[in-house]
Amino acid sequence: MHPVTERLYNAAQALRGISGQSAVARALNESPQTVKNWETRGVSKAGALKAEELLGVRAAWLLTGEGAMGGGFKSNVQPVASGMRRYPVISKI
């Protein structure tokens, strides 16, 4: 297995409690075949950015293995259920 994909699986388990190829594929909205290809070729940059957004793992750590696994900050962006809309609240803060 490619080291980058191994880091992806470890991060998915540690950060979201997700294990297995199919579960990771569902979490990233990718096909299981795409994730299977990552096992031999490694995760693409686009895939790493998607994992950063959806799993909370740093894309730089995923691709290089250097630095911290998580972002170290809480994001103010939250996923919304399909069909719903959220609007930003603008303040002086």
Side-chain angles (χ1 to χ4, degrees):
M1 180 179 305
H2 199 279
V4 175
T5 309
E6 191 170 339
R7 282 192 291 273
L8 173 64
Y9 287 151
N10 291 337
Q13 176 64 43
L15 297 173
R16 297 285 186 244
I18 299 169
S19 62
Q21 175 187 337
S22 296
V24 170
R26 277 192 303 275
L28 296 177
N29 299 320
E30 293 286 350
S31 71
Q33 184 59 43
T34 297
V35 176
K36 177 70 176 165
N37 289 340
W38 289 348
E39 289 181 3
T40 56
R41 299 179 186 154
V43 179
S44 65
K45 288 181 183 180
L49 291 173
K50 194 177 238 187
E52 182 174 63
E53 177 185 344
L54 298 174
L55 299 178
V57 60
R58 288 183 57 239
W61 175 82
L62 194 59
L63 295 173
T64 66
E66 298 175 0
M69 176 176 30
F73 59 89
K74 291 201 174 219
S75 174
N76 64 345
V77 178
Q78 299 173 353
V80 178
S82 180
M84 296 180 72
R85 295 185 183 174
R86 289 195 117 169
Y87 299 95
V89 176
I90 301 172
S91 69
K92 293 183 179 185
I93 298 176

